[in-house]
Amino acid sequence: MLSFSRVTKIYGKRKKRRPAVGEARFGRLAVDDFSLEISAPIFGFLGQNGAGKTTIIKMITGLLAPTSGTIMIDGVPSRDEASKRNIGFMPETPYFYERMTGIEFLRFCTELFPGAKRDDESLGKILKIAGIFEARNYEIRTYSKGMRQRLGFAQALVNDPNYLFLDEPLDGLDPIGRHDLKKSMLALKAEGRKIFLNTHILYDVEEVCDEVGVIHEGKLLYAGPVKDFCAGRPLEERFVETVKEYEKGKQDSKIMNQES
Amino acid sequence: MNHIITIAKNTLKLEVRDKIWIALLAFGLGYIAIMLFLSDLVLKELPMVKAFALLGIYFFNAIIALFLGTTSFYRDVERKTVYFILAKPISRAQFLLGKFFGLCAVIFLTSVALAVAYLAIVALAGGGFDAMGLLAILMQFLEMALFLAFAIFVSTFSSSLLSIVYTSVIFFLGHVVSSLVDDARKIGISGIRYVFVNILYYIFPNLEKFNIRDFAVHSVSLPWASFGFAVAYATAYIILLLFAAIWIFEKKEI
């Protein structure tokens, strides 16, 4: 299980003074007192650009440290080496070593996991899952955006992880690529792996996710089953409505504060 | 340790595929080859051939070290390639050390290639096997390792362009600080100005400690104590710079 307990992230200088959202002088509040427990096989994290989705995924994978609060994976802090051995991460718009070939890059990633299978057969299998096997011996600089996304997905699988964290994995993929990747995600789910997915492509979320979380300005507005959230209406409509309700509530409380 | 080796191996592999490194190495080899013709036409004497060849090796190594040190680490962080790496069970310190040793390996490889060419030229010019020349190249390598450590340290907190500026300034100051102190003594500067010159001397690395080209050119043997001191000096300085670089990189929000 993935659990967040009162996680806050403030970017910038003076972290002792808590800044308001968007306030730059004392740092920027990116995630605000975020608590959540996730046990769903595929969890989709929804939010606008700058809502805090990537910050959260970077904190889970240990790329960033929370300003306060804890993130645990199966009871172990997510930044611990034991947790990192058990996760795969695909960053948003991945930048690779351009002069390496696809298979070389996978080999390099595998070497960072002691004990992971490094033979070409195992790596070939992963490349086939990601749909990039044929291009394995080409230099990455010749890859299209979609091929890079596929390679990014492939490298997240080299350690046979139980948890996969994918940041906008469907961005830049053509319809066939998206279909293939969603199929792969569902196959991984069937193997018992858990997937945490950041996206703003709501149609795909409806298709693959069991649960969703809606984040806005670093605050969690909703977390639960997709069906409960939608309640028979389109996901996009419900998402916009939730964000607008929050904005309206914020505006109302601001007016009340000014009046009092 | 395995992670450091993995990063170092990968860095070496990537950098030697870089066309800029290949071009600079080719220029360096070409420059040394030209010495063979110049030895007959202009330079005439063996010490001149040695001096120009060693200076060429130093120049090309310095250019490569400046280029690699200020771009390789910075590029990985800035382009966010580190996301792939640091999300895996590897620490930031291991990554940074791996980059440093990988870049040192590139400089070492460059030095070996240029040293082979140098030895061949000296032998063809009638100088036989030049052991002191080899030692001079080794000392140049030590200087370049220090230079790389400084460039990586600067890259942890500044842009690639600024790193080039800072590292170039250090390179220049590193070669003039010792003569600055000597000149200050000779001229008779005292008081606050002399203190200032001394502060400069102790803050900036004294890169002249690694310059034994004159010994090599005139085949004068170097006291082992001087060599040992230079090695210890470089090692201490490199460790200090890498510690500082790791400390900053650990705190950096990537």
Side-chain angles (χ1 to χ4, degrees):
Chain A
M1 184 197 282
L2 173 66
S3 65
F4 300 83
S5 171
R6 308 208 64 183
V7 174
T8 295
K9 178 66 190 174
I10 302 168
Y11 285 112
K13 305 149 245 176
R14 303 179 196 177
K15 291 172 184 173
K16 281 179 187 166
R17 190 235 191 240
R18 187 185 158 81
V21 170
E23 186 185 30
R25 193 175 156 203
F26 296 98
R28 189 171 66 83
L29 181 62
V31 176
D32 190 6
D33 200 15
F34 185 92
S35 294
L36 178 66
E37 290 192 343
I38 301 169
S39 52
I42 302 185
F43 186 91
F45 216 23
L46 317 179
Q48 292 172 288
N49 294 332
K53 305 187 300 288
T54 297
T55 300
I56 285 177
I57 216 166
K58 277 161 82 176
M59 286 192 289
I60 299 169
T61 52
L63 293 170
L64 281 178
T67 306
S68 62
T70 51
I71 303 170
M72 311 283 257
I73 297 174
D74 290 338
V76 180
S78 68
R79 286 166 65 86
D80 278 16
E81 202 181 306
S83 287
K84 283 183 165 191
R85 280 172 197 267
N86 206 15
I87 66 169
F89 170 53
M90 174 187 174
E92 188 184 4
T93 13
Y95 284 91
F96 299 90
Y97 290 122
E98 301 287 309
R99 291 186 191 283
M100 278 181 147
T101 64
I103 189 99
E104 277 178 334
F105 186 73
L106 279 206
R107 246 182 243 133
F108 164 63
C109 290
T110 312
E111 281 174 26
L112 296 171
F113 290 99
K117 282 182 189 169
R118 288 167 199 184
D119 56 292
D120 280 4
E121 200 188 320
S122 309
L123 297 181
K125 206 173 144 190
I126 292 169
L127 287 164
K128 276 177 190 162
I129 292 171
I132 202 169
F133 181 75
E134 300 303 325
R136 67 192 182 285
N137 291 320
Y138 300 153
E139 282 192 359
I140 298 171
R141 67 194 168 103
T142 64
Y143 282 17
S144 65
K145 194 181 178 194
M147 288 161 89
R148 285 163 191 262
Q149 288 289 95
R150 287 165 185 262
L151 184 63
F153 181 66
Q155 65 76 39
L157 300 174
V158 292
N159 57 321
D160 199 15
N162 286 333
Y163 287 89
L164 268 170
F165 298 96
L166 313 174
D167 197 0
E168 306 286 0
L170 302 160
D171 235 21
L173 287 175
D174 55 37
I176 292 172
R178 276 164 62 178
H179 172 263
D180 289 350
L181 196 61
K182 282 186 277 187
K183 209 171 122 188
S184 300
M185 281 194 263
L186 292 171
L188 290 165
K189 172 186 164 180
E191 288 173 12
R193 295 173 217 269
K194 302 218 183 309
I195 299 172
F196 183 99
L197 175 77
N198 266 358
T199 186
H200 53 251
I201 305 173
L202 303 180
Y203 170 74
D204 296 321
V205 172
E206 267 180 310
E207 253 183 89
V208 294
C209 293
D210 301 289
E211 286 186 13
V212 288
V214 177
I215 187 170
H216 183 66
E217 292 184 343
K219 276 189 179 297
L220 183 68
L221 304 186
Y222 171 85
V226 185
K227 280 178 189 167
D228 292 358
F229 182 63
C230 292
R233 289 159 63 197
L235 180 60
E236 187 176 282
E237 200 181 304
R238 279 290 296 133
F239 172 74
V240 173
E241 190 182 84
T242 307
V243 171
K244 281 190 174 168
E245 269 171 19
Y246 169 79
E247 285 292 339
K248 192 176 176 298
K250 207 172 79 173
Q251 204 64 34
D252 289 349
S253 66
K254 205 174 169 183
I255 292 165
M256 276 172 71
N257 282 342
Q258 280 171 349
E259 284 173 356
S260 64
Chain B
M1 192 63 188
N2 280 346
H3 286 333
I4 296 174
I5 294 168
T6 302
I7 300 292
K9 264 174 25 192
N10 191 56
T11 304
L12 173 67
K13 190 194 280 182
L14 287 169
E15 298 303 345
V16 298
R17 287 179 186 180
D18 197 310
K19 282 176 186 157
I20 297 175
W21 178 78
I22 296 167
L24 285 170
L25 180 65
F27 275 123
L29 291 169
Y31 172 85
I32 295 171
I34 287 170
M35 290 298 113
L36 190 63
F37 302 105
L38 288 183
S39 67
D40 289 336
L41 297 170
V42 189
L43 303 175
K44 306 284 184 194
E45 291 170 3
L46 183 64
M48 293 292 276
V49 175
K50 283 185 181 181
F52 276 91
L54 285 173
L55 194 65
I57 293 173
Y58 179 72
F59 174 76
F60 283 103
N61 261 334
I63 296 283
I64 292 171
L66 180 69
F67 161 69
L68 293 180
T70 54
T71 57
S72 185
F73 176 80
Y74 177 78
R75 200 176 42 212
D76 280 8
V77 176
E78 200 52 29
R79 286 188 186 170
K80 300 178 174 30
T81 312
V82 283
Y83 285 5
F84 287 115
I85 300 164
L86 297 178
K88 296 181 170 55
I90 170 172
S91 69
R92 291 187 181 201
Q94 286 171 325
F95 172 72
L96 188 139
L97 291 174
K99 287 301 281 186
F100 170 72
F101 287 118
L103 296 179
C104 281
V106 180
I107 296 293
F108 187 74
L109 195 68
T110 315
S111 298
V112 168
L114 295 176
V116 170
Y118 169 80
L119 290 175
I121 293 295
V122 172
L124 284 169
F129 180 73
D130 185 14
M132 271 307 287
L134 264 189
L135 193 63
I137 295 169
L138 182 66
M139 292 286 265
Q140 288 181 4
F141 168 72
L142 278 180
E143 182 182 336
M144 293 309 139
L146 199 159
F147 197 45
L148 281 175
F150 186 83
I152 289 178
F153 162 69
V154 174
S155 300
T156 56
F157 59 83
S158 70
S159 71
S160 192
L161 192 65
L162 278 176
S163 299
I164 292 173
V165 173
Y166 293 144
T167 313
S168 304
V169 168
I170 283 296
F171 185 69
F172 172 72
L173 283 173
H175 281 286
V176 298
V177 280
S178 59
S179 49
L180 267 182
V181 175
D182 288 343
D183 291 346
R185 271 196 215 113
K186 279 178 199 162
I187 299 166
I189 287 175
S190 59
I192 190 84
R193 285 190 298 169
Y194 187 70
V195 172
F196 178 69
V197 170
N198 264 289
I199 289 172
L200 283 183
Y201 179 76
Y202 285 107
I203 287 180
F204 295 107
N206 181 2
L207 301 178
E208 276 301 302
K209 284 194 192 306
F210 308 102
N211 181 5
I212 60 160
R213 287 193 294 277
D214 286 345
F215 287 83
V217 166
H218 299 291
S219 300
V220 178
S221 61
L222 178 77
W224 280 108
S226 301
F227 177 71
F229 182 74
V231 172
Y233 183 80
T235 310
Y237 227 110
I238 287 168
I239 289 172
L240 199 71
L241 285 168
L242 292 178
F243 259 117
I246 289 167
W247 187 74
I248 296 169
F249 189 43
E250 296 273 6
K251 291 181 181 307
K252 195 179 172 90
E253 280 176 346
I254 53 172

